[in-house]
Protein backbone atom coordinates (compact mmCIF):
# COMPACT_ATOMS: atom_id res chain seq x y z
CA UNK A 1 0.00 0.00 0.00
CA UNK A 2 1.20 3.51 -0.71
CA UNK A 3 -0.08 7.05 -0.81
CA UNK A 4 0.68 9.79 -3.30
CA UNK A 5 2.55 11.67 -0.61
CA UNK A 6 6.14 10.86 0.24
CA UNK A 7 6.81 11.65 3.87
CA UNK A 8 9.59 14.06 4.77
CA UNK A 9 11.66 11.32 6.38
CA UNK A 10 11.42 9.03 3.36
CA UNK A 11 12.11 11.98 1.05
CA UNK A 12 15.26 12.92 2.94
CA UNK A 13 16.48 9.32 2.82
CA UNK A 14 15.85 9.06 -0.93
CA UNK A 15 17.46 12.40 -1.77
CA UNK A 16 20.53 11.67 0.33
CA UNK A 17 21.01 8.25 -1.27
CA UNK A 18 20.61 9.77 -4.75
CA UNK A 19 23.03 12.61 -4.05
CA UNK A 20 20.32 15.23 -4.57
CA UNK A 21 21.08 16.87 -1.22
CA UNK A 22 23.59 16.59 1.59
CA UNK A 23 23.29 15.78 5.23
CA UNK A 24 25.07 19.01 6.04
CA UNK A 25 22.41 21.00 4.16
CA UNK A 26 19.51 19.16 5.81
CA UNK A 27 20.97 19.47 9.30
CA UNK A 28 21.85 23.14 8.84
CA UNK A 29 18.28 23.83 7.66
CA UNK A 30 16.84 21.98 10.66
CA UNK A 31 19.06 23.92 13.06
CA UNK A 32 18.05 27.22 11.45
CA UNK A 33 14.35 26.38 11.78
CA UNK A 34 14.80 25.34 15.41
CA UNK A 35 16.55 28.60 16.22
CA UNK A 36 14.00 30.70 14.33
CA UNK A 37 11.09 29.19 16.28
CA UNK A 38 12.54 29.33 19.78
CA UNK A 39 10.36 32.31 20.62
CA UNK A 40 7.19 30.93 19.03
CA UNK A 41 7.19 27.12 19.30
CA UNK A 42 10.01 26.44 21.80
CA UNK A 43 10.22 22.75 20.95
CA UNK A 44 13.80 22.00 22.04
CA UNK A 45 15.50 21.90 25.43
CA UNK A 46 18.96 21.11 23.99
CA UNK A 47 20.32 21.72 20.50
CA UNK A 48 23.51 19.94 19.48
CA UNK A 49 24.52 22.57 16.89
CA UNK A 50 28.13 22.13 15.80
CA UNK A 51 28.20 18.51 16.99
CA UNK A 52 25.31 17.68 14.70
CA UNK A 53 26.93 19.52 11.80
CA UNK A 54 30.16 17.59 12.28
CA UNK A 55 28.21 14.33 12.31
CA UNK A 56 26.44 15.49 9.13
CA UNK A 57 29.79 16.13 7.45
CA UNK A 58 30.86 12.62 8.41
CA UNK A 59 27.58 11.23 7.05
CA UNK A 60 28.25 13.00 3.75
CA UNK A 61 31.70 11.41 3.57
CA UNK A 62 30.14 7.99 4.15
CA UNK A 63 27.44 8.60 1.55
CA UNK A 64 30.04 9.73 -0.99
CA UNK A 65 31.98 6.51 -0.33
CA UNK A 66 28.88 4.49 -1.24
CA UNK A 67 27.68 3.53 2.24
CA UNK A 68 23.93 3.15 2.63
CA UNK A 69 21.98 2.88 5.89
CA UNK A 70 18.25 3.39 6.55
CA UNK A 71 18.64 6.91 8.02
CA UNK A 72 22.18 7.86 7.01
CA UNK A 73 22.51 11.64 7.29
CA UNK A 74 18.90 12.41 8.26
CA UNK A 75 18.25 14.92 11.09
CA UNK A 76 16.19 13.38 13.91
CA UNK A 77 15.14 14.68 17.34
CA UNK A 78 14.72 12.71 20.55
CA UNK A 79 12.82 13.53 23.70
CA UNK A 80 14.51 14.98 26.78
CA UNK A 81 14.00 11.76 28.77
CA UNK A 82 16.37 9.83 26.47
CA UNK A 83 20.11 9.72 27.09
CA UNK A 84 22.36 11.28 24.45
CA UNK A 85 26.06 11.11 25.29
CA UNK A 86 27.48 14.46 26.36
CA UNK A 87 24.07 16.07 26.98
CA UNK A 88 22.18 16.25 30.31
CA UNK A 89 18.95 14.27 30.48
CA UNK A 90 16.87 16.97 32.12
CA UNK A 91 13.49 15.27 31.55
CA UNK A 92 11.78 18.62 31.91
CA UNK A 93 13.39 19.42 35.28
CA UNK A 94 15.25 22.52 36.46
CA UNK A 95 18.71 22.32 37.99
CA UNK A 96 22.22 21.37 36.98
CA UNK A 97 22.37 17.77 35.85
CA UNK A 98 25.51 16.01 34.63
CA UNK A 99 25.82 15.05 30.97
CA UNK A 100 24.94 11.48 30.08
CA UNK A 101 28.05 9.38 29.69
CA UNK A 102 26.62 7.17 26.94
CA UNK A 103 23.76 7.03 24.47
CA UNK A 104 20.63 5.23 25.54
CA UNK A 105 20.01 2.05 23.58
CA UNK A 106 17.33 3.62 21.35
CA UNK A 107 19.68 6.47 20.44
CA UNK A 108 22.50 3.99 19.84
CA UNK A 109 20.28 2.17 17.37
CA UNK A 110 19.24 5.38 15.63
CA UNK A 111 22.89 6.33 15.24
CA UNK A 112 23.67 2.83 13.96
CA UNK A 113 21.00 3.45 11.30
CA UNK A 114 22.85 6.66 10.37
CA UNK A 115 20.61 9.30 11.97
CA UNK A 116 22.03 12.66 13.05
CA UNK A 117 20.58 13.67 16.43
CA UNK A 118 20.06 17.44 16.19
CA UNK A 119 18.75 17.92 19.70
CA UNK A 120 16.46 16.93 22.54
CA UNK A 121 12.85 18.07 22.67
CA UNK A 122 10.98 19.52 25.62
CA UNK A 123 8.97 17.43 28.03
CA UNK A 124 6.98 18.43 31.08
CA UNK A 125 8.61 17.58 34.40
CA UNK A 126 9.18 13.80 34.56
CA UNK A 127 6.60 13.30 31.82
CA UNK A 128 3.62 13.51 34.14
CA UNK A 129 1.15 15.73 32.29
CA UNK A 130 -0.46 16.11 28.86
CA UNK A 131 1.01 19.59 28.45
CA UNK A 132 4.61 20.66 27.90
CA UNK A 133 5.23 23.59 30.20
CA UNK A 134 7.46 24.30 33.17
CA UNK A 135 9.71 26.90 34.77
CA UNK A 136 12.82 25.12 33.51
CA UNK A 137 12.10 25.92 29.85
CA UNK A 138 8.85 27.87 29.57
CA UNK A 139 5.99 26.65 27.39
CA UNK A 140 6.16 24.61 24.22
CA UNK A 141 3.39 25.77 21.91
CA UNK A 142 1.20 24.13 19.32
CA UNK A 143 2.08 25.08 15.72
CA UNK A 144 -1.62 24.89 14.81
CA UNK A 145 -2.43 27.62 17.34
CA UNK A 146 0.32 28.97 19.52
CA UNK A 147 -2.03 29.80 22.36
CA UNK A 148 -2.68 26.04 22.74
CA UNK A 149 -0.57 23.23 24.13
CA UNK A 150 0.78 20.58 21.75
CA UNK A 151 0.07 18.06 24.49
CA UNK A 152 2.53 16.05 26.49
CA UNK A 153 4.61 14.72 27.66
CA UNK A 154 6.18 14.29 24.19
CA UNK A 155 4.94 17.75 23.29
CA UNK A 156 8.33 19.00 22.17
CA UNK A 157 8.74 16.11 19.75
CA UNK A 158 5.20 16.62 18.42
CA UNK A 159 5.64 20.38 18.00
CA UNK A 160 8.99 19.89 16.26
CA UNK A 161 7.51 17.52 13.69
CA UNK A 162 4.24 19.41 13.20
CA UNK A 163 6.17 22.66 12.68
CA UNK A 164 8.48 21.03 10.14
CA UNK A 165 11.63 21.51 12.22
CA UNK A 166 12.58 17.83 11.81
CA UNK A 167 10.99 15.11 9.67
CA UNK A 168 10.36 12.77 12.60
CA UNK A 169 11.14 12.45 16.28
CA UNK A 170 11.29 9.92 19.06
CA UNK A 171 8.94 10.33 22.03
CA UNK A 172 7.86 8.21 24.96
CA UNK A 173 4.46 7.08 26.18
CA UNK A 174 3.67 6.18 29.80
CA UNK A 175 0.00 7.22 29.85
CA UNK A 176 -0.58 8.44 26.30
CA UNK A 177 2.43 10.73 25.98
CA UNK A 178 2.91 9.92 22.29
CA UNK A 179 -0.75 9.47 21.36
CA UNK A 180 -2.06 12.61 23.07
CA UNK A 181 0.35 15.09 21.44
CA UNK A 182 -0.05 13.28 18.12
CA UNK A 183 -3.79 13.90 18.34
CA UNK A 184 -3.37 17.57 19.23
CA UNK A 185 -0.79 18.30 16.48
CA UNK A 186 -2.28 16.21 13.60
CA UNK A 187 0.44 13.54 13.54
CA UNK A 188 0.83 9.79 13.43
CA UNK A 189 2.29 8.38 16.64
CA UNK A 190 3.08 4.78 17.45
CA UNK A 191 3.06 3.44 21.00
CA UNK A 192 4.73 0.09 20.42
CA UNK A 193 4.47 -3.14 22.33
CA UNK A 194 6.34 -2.92 25.64
CA UNK A 195 9.99 -3.72 24.98
CA UNK A 196 9.85 -3.01 21.24
CA UNK A 197 12.00 0.13 21.55
CA UNK A 198 14.50 0.13 24.37
CA UNK A 199 14.20 2.45 27.36
CA UNK A 200 17.64 1.38 28.62
CA UNK A 201 19.36 2.52 30.82
CA UNK A 202 16.00 3.24 32.50
CA UNK A 203 15.08 -0.43 32.49
CA UNK A 204 11.44 -1.23 33.30
CA UNK A 205 10.70 2.46 32.98
CA UNK A 206 7.90 3.78 35.24
CA UNK A 207 7.20 0.27 36.51
CA UNK A 208 6.71 -1.01 32.97
CA UNK A 209 4.27 1.71 31.89
CA UNK A 210 6.56 3.68 29.58
CA UNK A 211 7.73 2.81 26.08
CA UNK A 212 9.56 4.81 23.41
CA UNK A 213 8.12 5.34 19.95
CA UNK A 214 7.99 7.57 16.87
CA UNK A 215 6.01 10.65 15.86
CA UNK A 216 5.81 11.62 12.18
CA UNK A 217 3.50 13.17 9.62
CA UNK A 218 2.87 9.93 7.71
CA UNK A 219 2.45 6.27 8.64
CA UNK A 220 5.38 5.20 6.48
CA UNK A 221 7.70 7.72 8.16
CA UNK A 222 6.62 6.61 11.63
CA UNK A 223 7.13 2.97 10.62
CA UNK A 224 10.60 3.73 9.23
CA UNK A 225 11.69 5.40 12.47
CA UNK A 226 10.17 2.57 14.52
CA UNK A 227 12.13 -0.03 12.55
CA UNK A 228 15.36 1.92 13.01
CA UNK A 229 14.89 2.38 16.76
CA UNK A 230 13.55 -1.09 17.59
CA UNK A 231 15.40 -3.64 19.64
CA UNK A 232 15.91 -4.35 23.33
CA UNK A 233 19.09 -4.03 25.33
CA UNK A 234 20.30 -7.41 26.65
CA UNK A 235 19.70 -6.27 30.24
CA UNK A 236 16.04 -5.41 29.66
CA UNK A 237 13.14 -7.45 30.87
CA UNK A 238 11.03 -7.54 27.70
CA UNK A 239 12.12 -8.92 24.31
CA UNK A 240 9.13 -9.11 21.95
CA UNK A 241 9.45 -10.88 18.60
CA UNK A 242 10.70 -8.61 15.82
CA UNK A 243 8.31 -6.94 13.38
CA UNK A 244 8.72 -5.18 10.02
CA UNK A 245 6.74 -1.98 10.47
CA UNK A 246 7.71 -0.54 7.07
CA UNK A 247 6.46 -3.64 5.26
CA UNK A 248 3.22 -3.44 7.25
CA UNK A 249 2.73 0.16 6.09
CA UNK A 250 2.78 -1.07 2.47
CA UNK A 251 0.38 -3.95 3.07
CA UNK A 252 -3.43 -4.09 2.87
CA UNK A 253 -4.93 -4.88 6.28
CA UNK A 254 -7.66 -7.19 5.00
CA UNK A 255 -11.26 -6.95 6.22
CA UNK A 256 -11.20 -6.37 9.97
CA UNK A 257 -13.67 -6.45 12.85
CA UNK A 258 -13.40 -3.02 14.45
CA UNK A 259 -15.03 -1.94 17.71
CA UNK A 260 -15.75 1.74 18.32
CA UNK A 261 -15.66 2.71 22.01
CA UNK A 262 -16.58 6.32 22.72
CA UNK A 263 -17.15 5.77 26.43
CA UNK A 264 -13.84 6.04 28.33
CA UNK A 265 -12.61 3.78 31.13
CA UNK A 266 -13.70 4.67 34.65
CA UNK A 267 -11.95 7.84 35.85
CA UNK A 268 -14.57 9.15 38.34
CA UNK A 269 -14.61 12.47 36.46
CA UNK A 270 -17.82 11.80 34.56
CA UNK A 271 -16.03 12.87 31.39
CA UNK A 272 -17.53 12.38 27.95
CA UNK A 273 -15.95 13.22 24.61
CA UNK A 274 -16.30 16.80 23.40
CA UNK A 275 -18.95 16.98 20.65
CA UNK A 276 -16.35 17.77 17.99
CA UNK A 277 -14.16 14.87 19.13
CA UNK A 278 -17.17 12.56 19.00
CA UNK A 279 -18.06 13.82 15.53
CA UNK A 280 -14.53 13.37 14.19
CA UNK A 281 -13.99 9.88 15.59
CA UNK A 282 -17.44 8.74 14.48
CA UNK A 283 -16.62 10.00 10.98
CA UNK A 284 -13.41 7.98 11.09
CA UNK A 285 -15.43 4.88 12.01
CA UNK A 286 -17.73 5.56 9.07
CA UNK A 287 -14.71 5.77 6.77
CA UNK A 288 -13.50 2.40 8.03
CA UNK A 289 -16.91 0.90 7.34
CA UNK A 290 -16.87 2.39 3.85
CA UNK A 291 -13.48 0.74 3.29
CA UNK A 292 -15.12 -2.62 3.91
CA UNK A 293 -14.47 -3.26 7.59
CA UNK A 294 -17.13 -4.45 10.00
CA UNK A 295 -17.52 -1.63 12.52
CA UNK A 296 -19.80 -1.58 15.55
CA UNK A 297 -19.92 0.11 18.92
CA UNK A 298 -18.71 -1.94 21.88
CA UNK A 299 -17.46 -1.52 25.43
CA UNK A 300 -14.25 -3.22 26.56
CA UNK A 301 -14.29 -4.60 30.11
CA UNK A 302 -11.66 -2.29 31.56
CA UNK A 303 -12.74 -2.94 35.13
CA UNK A 304 -10.86 -1.07 37.86
CA UNK A 305 -7.63 -0.98 35.88
CA UNK A 306 -6.91 2.48 37.28
CA UNK A 307 -6.15 0.90 40.64
CA UNK A 308 -3.14 -0.73 38.98
CA UNK A 309 -2.10 2.34 37.03
CA UNK A 310 -1.90 4.81 39.92
CA UNK A 311 0.65 2.98 42.13
CA UNK A 312 2.85 2.22 39.14
CA UNK A 313 2.79 5.81 37.89
CA UNK A 314 3.42 7.35 41.32
CA UNK A 315 6.23 4.91 42.08
CA UNK A 316 7.81 5.67 38.71
CA UNK A 317 7.73 9.41 39.40
CA UNK A 318 9.31 8.86 42.80
CA UNK A 319 12.07 6.72 41.30
CA UNK A 320 12.98 9.49 38.86
CA UNK A 321 12.60 12.32 41.38
CA UNK A 322 14.85 10.54 43.86
CA UNK A 323 17.66 10.61 41.28
CA UNK A 324 17.49 14.41 40.92
CA UNK A 325 20.45 16.11 42.64
CA UNK A 326 18.18 18.74 44.24
CA UNK A 327 14.55 17.55 44.55
CA UNK A 328 13.59 20.82 46.26
CA UNK A 329 13.73 22.45 42.81
CA UNK A 330 10.94 20.27 41.48
CA UNK A 331 7.34 21.40 40.97
CA UNK A 332 5.24 21.09 44.15
CA UNK A 333 2.96 18.70 42.25
CA UNK A 334 5.96 16.51 41.48
CA UNK A 335 6.95 16.49 45.13
CA UNK A 336 3.39 15.50 46.08
CA UNK A 337 3.47 12.65 43.57
CA UNK A 338 6.85 11.61 44.92
CA UNK A 339 5.43 11.33 48.43
CA UNK A 340 2.58 9.23 47.05
CA UNK A 341 5.07 7.06 45.21
CA UNK A 342 7.03 6.42 48.38
CA UNK A 343 3.81 5.35 50.14
CA UNK A 344 2.66 3.15 47.25
CA UNK A 345 5.99 1.52 46.50
CA UNK A 346 7.05 -1.92 47.64
CA UNK A 347 4.17 -4.26 48.43
CA UNK A 348 1.43 -2.06 46.93
CA UNK A 349 3.10 -1.62 43.56
CA UNK A 350 4.07 -5.30 43.46
CA UNK A 351 0.41 -6.19 44.01
CA UNK A 352 -0.61 -3.77 41.24
CA UNK A 353 1.80 -5.39 38.83
CA UNK A 354 0.69 -8.87 39.86
CA UNK A 355 -2.81 -8.03 38.57
CA UNK A 356 -1.51 -7.35 35.07
CA UNK A 357 -1.90 -10.92 33.78
CA UNK A 358 -5.55 -11.05 34.88
CA UNK A 359 -6.19 -7.65 33.29
CA UNK A 360 -4.60 -8.79 30.06
CA UNK A 361 -6.76 -11.90 30.12
CA UNK A 362 -10.00 -9.99 30.76
CA UNK A 363 -9.40 -7.26 28.19
CA UNK A 364 -7.67 -9.66 25.81
CA UNK A 365 -10.91 -11.66 25.55
CA UNK A 366 -12.30 -8.61 23.73
CA UNK A 367 -9.98 -9.47 20.83
CA UNK A 368 -11.56 -12.89 20.42
CA UNK A 369 -14.46 -10.97 18.89
CA UNK A 370 -12.72 -7.92 17.43
CA UNK A 371 -9.40 -7.27 15.67
CA UNK A 372 -9.00 -3.58 16.49
CA UNK A 373 -10.39 -1.17 19.09
CA UNK A 374 -11.01 2.41 17.90
CA UNK A 375 -11.32 5.17 20.50
CA UNK A 376 -10.69 8.91 20.69
CA UNK A 377 -7.12 9.73 21.68
CA UNK A 378 -8.39 12.50 23.97
CA UNK A 379 -11.77 13.70 25.17
CA UNK A 380 -11.10 17.34 24.26
CA UNK A 381 -9.29 19.49 21.70
CA UNK A 382 -5.95 20.91 22.88
CA UNK A 383 -6.34 23.14 25.97
CA UNK A 384 -4.86 26.64 26.17
CA UNK A 385 -1.28 27.08 27.29
CA UNK A 386 -1.33 27.79 31.03
CA UNK A 387 -4.65 26.02 31.64
CA UNK A 388 -3.15 24.10 34.57
CA UNK A 389 -0.99 26.88 36.02
CA UNK A 390 -1.29 27.29 39.78
CA UNK A 391 -3.40 24.19 40.29
CA UNK A 392 -2.77 21.73 43.08
CA UNK A 393 -1.62 18.19 42.39
CA UNK A 394 -5.14 16.88 42.94
CA UNK A 395 -6.82 19.48 40.73
CA UNK A 396 -4.26 18.87 38.00
CA UNK A 397 -4.83 15.12 38.15
CA UNK A 398 -8.60 15.56 37.90
CA UNK A 399 -8.25 17.97 35.00
CA UNK A 400 -5.93 15.77 32.98
CA UNK A 401 -8.00 12.66 33.69
CA UNK A 402 -11.04 14.46 32.29
CA UNK A 403 -9.20 15.68 29.18
CA UNK A 404 -7.25 12.48 28.50
CA UNK A 405 -9.13 9.40 29.80
CA UNK A 406 -8.59 7.03 26.89
CA UNK A 407 -4.88 6.25 26.51
CA UNK A 408 -3.46 5.03 29.82
CA UNK A 409 -5.02 1.52 30.09
CA UNK A 410 -2.86 0.35 27.18
CA UNK A 411 0.23 1.33 29.17
CA UNK A 412 -0.87 -0.93 32.02
CA UNK A 413 -1.38 -3.77 29.53
CA UNK A 414 1.85 -3.03 27.63
CA UNK A 415 0.10 -3.41 24.28
CA UNK A 416 0.46 -1.36 21.07
CA UNK A 417 -1.56 1.54 19.74
CA UNK A 418 -1.32 3.83 16.73
CA UNK A 419 -2.55 7.41 16.96
CA UNK A 420 -3.98 8.88 13.75
CA UNK A 421 -5.39 12.31 12.91
CA UNK A 422 -9.18 12.49 13.01
CA UNK A 423 -9.55 16.00 11.62
CA UNK A 424 -9.85 19.58 12.77
CA UNK A 425 -12.43 21.34 14.92
CA UNK A 426 -14.37 24.30 13.55
CA UNK A 427 -11.68 26.48 15.15
CA UNK A 428 -8.94 24.62 13.26
CA UNK A 429 -7.61 22.62 16.22
CA UNK A 430 -6.50 19.02 15.62
CA UNK A 431 -8.14 16.02 17.30
CA UNK A 432 -7.22 12.38 16.94
CA UNK A 433 -8.12 8.74 17.36
CA UNK A 434 -6.21 5.67 18.44
CA UNK A 435 -6.21 2.21 16.90
CA UNK A 436 -5.54 -0.29 19.70
CA UNK A 437 -4.66 -3.96 19.50
CA UNK A 438 -3.53 -6.95 21.57
CA UNK A 439 0.01 -8.01 22.38
CA UNK A 440 2.38 -7.78 19.43
CA UNK A 441 -0.30 -6.35 17.15
CA UNK A 442 1.61 -3.39 15.69
CA UNK A 443 1.71 -4.63 12.10
CA UNK A 444 -2.07 -4.91 11.77
CA UNK A 445 -2.57 -1.47 13.33
CA UNK A 446 0.05 0.09 11.06
CA UNK A 447 -1.51 -1.48 7.96
CA UNK A 448 -4.94 -0.18 8.96
CA UNK A 449 -3.55 3.30 9.68
CA UNK A 450 -1.88 3.34 6.24
CA UNK A 451 -5.15 2.39 4.58
CA UNK A 452 -6.92 5.23 6.38
CA UNK A 453 -4.16 7.64 5.41
CA UNK A 454 -4.44 6.70 1.74
CA UNK A 455 -8.16 7.42 1.92
CA UNK A 456 -8.15 10.60 4.02
CA UNK A 457 -4.79 12.12 2.97
CA UNK A 458 -4.43 13.87 6.31
CA UNK A 459 -0.83 14.81 5.49
CA UNK A 460 -2.19 17.45 3.08
CA UNK A 461 -3.31 19.58 6.04
CA UNK A 462 -0.52 21.57 7.66
CA UNK A 463 -0.37 24.20 10.37
CA UNK A 464 -0.71 27.84 9.39
CA UNK A 465 2.51 29.08 7.81
CA UNK A 466 4.89 30.94 10.07
CA UNK A 467 8.01 32.66 8.73
CA UNK A 468 11.06 30.89 10.13
CA UNK A 469 14.11 32.76 8.97
CA UNK A 470 15.74 32.87 5.52
CA UNK A 471 12.17 33.48 4.35
CA UNK A 472 11.43 29.76 4.55
CA UNK A 473 7.89 28.75 5.48
CA UNK A 474 7.77 26.52 8.52
CA UNK A 475 6.47 23.05 7.82
CA UNK A 476 7.40 23.11 4.17
Amino acid sequence: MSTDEEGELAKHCRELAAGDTTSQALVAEALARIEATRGSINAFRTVRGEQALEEAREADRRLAAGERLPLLGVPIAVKDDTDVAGVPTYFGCPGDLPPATADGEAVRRLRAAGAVIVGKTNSCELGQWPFTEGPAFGATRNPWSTDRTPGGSSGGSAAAVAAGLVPAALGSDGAGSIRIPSAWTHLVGIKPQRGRVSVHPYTDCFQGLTVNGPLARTVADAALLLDAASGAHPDERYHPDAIDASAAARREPGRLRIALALRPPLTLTGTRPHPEVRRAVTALAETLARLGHHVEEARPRYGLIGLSFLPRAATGIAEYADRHPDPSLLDPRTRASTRSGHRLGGRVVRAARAREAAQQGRIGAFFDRYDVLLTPSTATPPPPVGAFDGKSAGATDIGIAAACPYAWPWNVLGWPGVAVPAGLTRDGLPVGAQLLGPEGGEERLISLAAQLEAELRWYEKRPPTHVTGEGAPMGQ
Side-chain angles (χ1 to χ4, degrees):
M1 180 187 300
S2 65
T3 68
D4 294 337
E5 171 78 0
E6 182 180 38
E8 289 297 313
L9 185 60
K11 179 183 177 184
H12 285 354
C13 294
R14 176 180 56 77
E15 291 179 342
L16 285 164
D20 294 336
T21 190
T22 65
S23 177
Q24 190 172 351
L26 293 177
V27 169
E29 289 166 4
L31 294 171
R33 289 191 293 267
I34 292 166
E35 183 59 31
T37 56
R38 278 193 178 278
S40 56
I41 304 300
N42 188 29
F44 281 78
R45 180 72 182 267
T46 307
V47 179
R48 297 187 67 241
E50 186 54 43
Q51 298 158 302
L53 286 170
E54 179 51 44
E55 290 167 15
R57 289 188 281 269
E58 175 60 22
D60 286 332
R61 288 190 284 270
R62 295 164 69 184
L63 286 160
E67 187 173 354
R68 295 294 180 266
L69 293 169
L71 299 178
L72 184 54
V74 179
I76 296 291
V78 301
K79 187 176 174 180
D80 190 31
D81 62 347
T82 304
D83 282 4
V84 174
V87 178
T89 304
Y90 291 109
F91 203 175
C93 296
D96 294 323
L97 278 74
T101 57
D103 290 334
E105 178 67 12
V107 171
R108 187 193 71 78
R109 289 178 180 270
L110 289 176
R111 288 193 198 272
V116 177
I117 309 300
V118 295
K120 299 180 68 174
T121 56
N122 278 324
S123 165
C124 61
E125 197 168 282
L126 303 185
Q128 301 166 80
W129 306 304
F131 52 86
T132 302
E133 303 161 32
F137 60 87
T140 297
R141 296 176 179 271
N142 195 322
W144 289 86
S145 179
T146 53
D147 66 341
R148 302 283 174 151
T149 180
S153 61
S154 303
S157 287
V161 176
L165 312 186
V166 289
L170 200 66
S172 63
D173 191 313
S177 288
I178 288 172
R179 291 163 287 158
I180 292 164
S182 293
W184 285 345
T185 59
H186 199 71
L187 297 179
V188 175
I190 301 177
K191 175 216 175 291
Q193 173 69 29
R194 184 186 294 152
R196 176 79 59 215
V197 179
S198 176
V199 294
H200 191 270
Y202 307 103
T203 303
D204 200 29
C205 192
F206 278 83
Q207 294 291 316
L209 295 176
T210 296
V211 298
N212 288 329
L215 299 93
R217 200 182 299 279
T218 68
V219 175
D221 278 358
L224 176 57
L225 189 60
L226 177 60
D227 282 337
S230 288
H233 187 277
D235 292 344
E236 288 184 289
R237 181 172 176 176
Y238 305 101
H239 295 259
D241 293 338
I243 63 168
D244 189 335
S246 294
R250 298 188 294 269
R251 196 164 57 232
E252 292 287 341
R255 187 173 187 269
L256 301 176
R257 303 164 299 169
I258 300 173
L260 169 64
L262 293 170
R263 185 169 179 172
L266 180 66
T267 60
L268 301 180
T269 62
T271 190
R272 292 291 184 270
H274 185 282
E276 293 203 74
V277 171
R278 175 183 285 272
R279 173 185 55 79
V281 178
T282 300
L284 207 64
E286 292 168 352
T287 299
L288 289 166
R290 190 172 68 249
L291 290 168
H293 302 289
H294 175 77
V295 182
E296 64 183 39
E297 286 201 50
R299 287 178 59 186
R301 293 181 57 229
Y302 289 113
L304 299 178
I305 194 169
L307 297 179
S308 289
F309 173 78
L310 292 173
R312 294 170 72 167
T315 301
I317 291 166
E319 289 169 344
Y320 268 91
D322 288 345
R323 290 196 289 265
H324 194 282
D326 187 357
S328 68
L329 297 176
L330 299 177
D331 189 299
R333 294 170 292 187
T334 301
R335 299 200 299 272
S337 294
T338 300
R339 292 190 292 271
S340 295
H342 291 153
R343 289 194 300 271
L344 297 173
R347 184 168 54 85
V348 176
V349 78
R350 287 195 297 272
R353 299 197 67 168
R355 287 193 288 271
E356 185 178 295
Q359 292 159 343
Q360 289 172 336
R362 182 182 67 250
I363 299 172
F366 184 81
F367 293 103
D368 294 337
R369 182 173 179 182
Y370 300 102
D371 300 305
V372 174
L373 173 62
L374 168 67
T375 84
S377 292
T378 69
T380 70
V385 168
F388 294 91
D389 285 358
K391 292 185 179 294
S392 67
T396 299
D397 288 345
I398 291 169
I400 65 177
C404 302
Y406 292 100
W408 55 268
W410 247 244
N411 297 89
V412 176
L413 300 169
W415 293 348
V418 176
V420 296
L424 305 177
T425 68
R426 292 177 180 85
D427 293 332
L429 300 174
V431 294
Q434 52 178 353
L435 306 170
L436 302 172
E439 182 174 1
E442 289 102 321
E443 289 189 346
R444 174 179 287 162
L445 302 176
I446 290 167
S447 294
L448 183 60
Q451 184 187 47
L452 267 175
E453 180 179 271
E455 179 72 13
L456 298 176
R457 302 172 68 87
W458 51 58
Y459 48 77
E460 293 180 345
K461 295 177 180 176
R462 303 226 175 181
T465 299
H466 300 263
V467 176
T468 63
E470 305 294 331
M474 183 172 64
Q476 302 297 316

